[in-house]
Amino acid sequence: MFSQEKYLKALNFAAKVHGEQKTPKGLPYITHLTSVAMEMMHACEQGEVKLEDADFAIQVALLHDVLEDTNATISELIEEFGDEIASGVEALTKDPTIESKKQQMAENINRLLTQSYAVQCVKLADRITNLQKPPESWDNEKIYNYFQESKFILSCLKNANPFLSKRLEDKINIYRTYIK
């Protein structure tokens, strides 16, 4: 079903460029990337992602943060993985020149809506993975804003994949309990 070679190529590239980066909980960042890829694999197994899109979606999942969080360039992605994967990763990357987080997210969603459902699914899988217990350093306002942003993502991308949309909806309902 999946190409181990493509998976390992994307995983190794992501591990190299993310280097010593950590998650907010102090884990190696690669744990986040593999969790997002796992969500995509699960959606593929449920038959909710077309088989021909599976390798593409999993590679994009593993690479989804390399432009946003590392020194990797779009040119490197094109050279290593081709235009389609580079375009998908670029669409998942927030524009740092936009100051407002709300405007950043709106612009990001608008770009994602021009992409295939497979790329939109990666955004859903990423948010599913991120909706864990919030870091201790987050105040109630930040938790509430993240909750609202998650609902916005779901409302805009829910048609991309029924399975991932339901997973995200369930995670949002659990996350609601962290708002005081």
Side-chain angles (χ1 to χ4, degrees):
M1 180 189 242
F2 309 117
S3 165
Q4 183 182 26
E5 291 78 18
K6 289 178 181 180
Y7 178 89
L8 289 173
K9 182 178 179 182
L11 179 66
N12 289 334
F13 182 90
K16 181 180 175 185
V17 298
H18 281 283
E20 298 299 316
Q21 184 181 354
K22 302 284 186 199
T23 68
K25 294 190 178 181
L27 298 171
Y29 199 74
I30 200 75
T31 60
H32 167 67
L33 303 175
T34 56
S35 293
V36 176
M38 182 189 70
E39 283 291 340
M40 289 306 307
M41 288 177 195
H42 193 58
C44 291
E45 287 175 352
Q46 295 299 312
E48 296 291 344
V49 174
K50 294 178 185 170
L51 190 55
E52 59 269 21
D53 292 336
D55 279 330
F56 168 76
I58 293 164
Q59 287 175 89
V60 171
L62 289 166
L63 298 167
H64 79 275
D65 279 338
V66 300
L67 294 177
E68 192 168 291
D69 293 343
T70 77
N71 292 326
T73 65
I74 190 74
S75 298
E76 287 176 287
L77 283 178
I78 292 169
E79 184 177 317
E80 289 290 323
F81 300 99
D83 289 331
E84 188 179 13
I85 287 175
S87 176
V89 173
E90 187 175 41
L92 288 157
T93 303
K94 292 184 201 91
D95 183 346
T97 66
I98 300 173
E99 288 187 35
S100 160
K101 284 212 174 262
K102 194 172 187 175
Q103 288 174 331
Q104 260 187 0
M105 181 56 66
E107 190 274 336
N108 182 241
I109 292 293
N110 283 333
R111 273 189 288 125
L112 284 169
L113 290 171
T114 69
Q115 293 285 317
S116 69
Y117 279 154
V119 175
Q120 294 175 28
C121 285
V122 173
K123 183 67 172 182
L124 294 172
D126 181 37
R127 189 49 62 116
I128 290 165
T129 300
N130 286 341
L131 281 176
Q132 306 298 323
K133 183 177 180 184
E136 295 293 324
S137 61
W138 285 20
D139 62 20
N140 197 54
E141 181 180 1
K142 187 164 184 167
I143 294 168
Y144 178 77
N145 288 341
Y146 202 72
F147 168 76
Q148 290 297 108
E149 187 178 89
S150 300
K151 289 186 351 182
F152 175 69
I153 291 167
L154 178 61
S155 72
C156 295
L157 302 179
K158 66 183 173 196
N159 293 330
N161 184 286
F163 175 78
L164 290 171
S165 294
K166 177 70 170 115
R167 291 262 307 131
L168 180 54
E169 182 180 2
D170 292 346
K171 293 291 270 188
I172 288 169
N173 287 331
I174 293 167
Y175 195 79
R176 178 189 317 265
T177 65
Y178 298 115
I179 301 169
K180 296 176 173 76

